[in-house]
Amino acid sequence: MRDGSLETFVPLKLRRRGVRQVMQAPTELRKVHDSTLVEGVARAFFWQSLLENGAMPSGSAIARAEGLHHSTVNELLRLTLLAPDIVEMLLAGRQPRRMSLLWFQRNPLPVDWQAQREIVQRLEEAI
């Protein structure tokens, strides 16, 4: 502490996951925040609110405004259908290691929350 200021040390490591780097907390915490996945979830819920408010008429309109392909927006919007406990798990960095944004784009999940939980459980057991 100098001049009344405080310092905080956050013990994070950068790890490679494929071609990207993710922040990883110490192994005793066992949380890996996948920033790409967290950003995808946040965008999906923001876009969903735009659709619900009537600020945007469709996913295609959002895609045009964001400069994205319409399929990308629609794939990400599916994240809003996740069970609340799964969303909480993703945001807390407790998702199975193989569960990334790309995984969600390639593996459509059922709308049924219990079926989603079973898929997550199988992915956790596969580790």
Side-chain angles (χ1 to χ4, degrees):
M1 187 163 130
R2 297 181 196 149
D3 307 323
S5 62
L6 297 174
E7 282 187 21
T8 303
F9 174 74
V10 181
L12 294 176
K13 293 180 182 179
L14 286 175
R15 297 272 189 215
R16 280 211 172 277
R17 185 182 278 176
V19 295
R20 59 195 159 105
Q21 290 188 339
V22 295
M23 292 181 288
Q24 186 175 30
T27 53
E28 62 270 9
L29 296 178
R30 290 282 182 204
K31 293 181 182 177
V32 178
H33 286 90
D34 184 336
S35 58
T36 306
L37 180 55
V38 170
E39 181 183 335
V41 170
R43 287 178 120 187
F45 279 95
F46 174 68
W47 293 338
Q48 184 64 34
S49 71
L50 292 177
L51 294 171
E52 289 171 355
N53 302 358
M56 287 287 188
S58 67
S60 295
I62 293 171
R64 279 191 299 277
E66 296 275 343
L68 299 170
H69 193 272
H70 64 87
S71 65
T72 302
V73 172
N74 291 329
E75 287 169 354
L76 288 179
L77 281 170
R78 288 194 328 238
L79 294 173
T80 63
L81 302 175
L82 288 171
D85 55 315
I86 295 175
V87 173
E88 184 178 310
M89 176 188 65
L90 298 175
L91 297 178
R94 295 188 320 262
Q95 75 277 2
R97 190 170 152 226
R98 291 179 22 204
M99 190 174 276
S100 64
L101 186 60
L102 184 60
W103 185 90
F104 279 107
Q105 290 175 313
R106 292 184 177 171
N107 299 283
L109 288 176
V111 177
D112 178 59
W113 288 353
Q114 188 54 40
Q116 292 175 7
R117 291 179 185 109
E118 291 169 6
I119 291 170
V120 171
Q121 183 65 33
R122 282 196 303 269
L123 285 173
E124 287 175 346
E125 293 169 357
I127 293 176

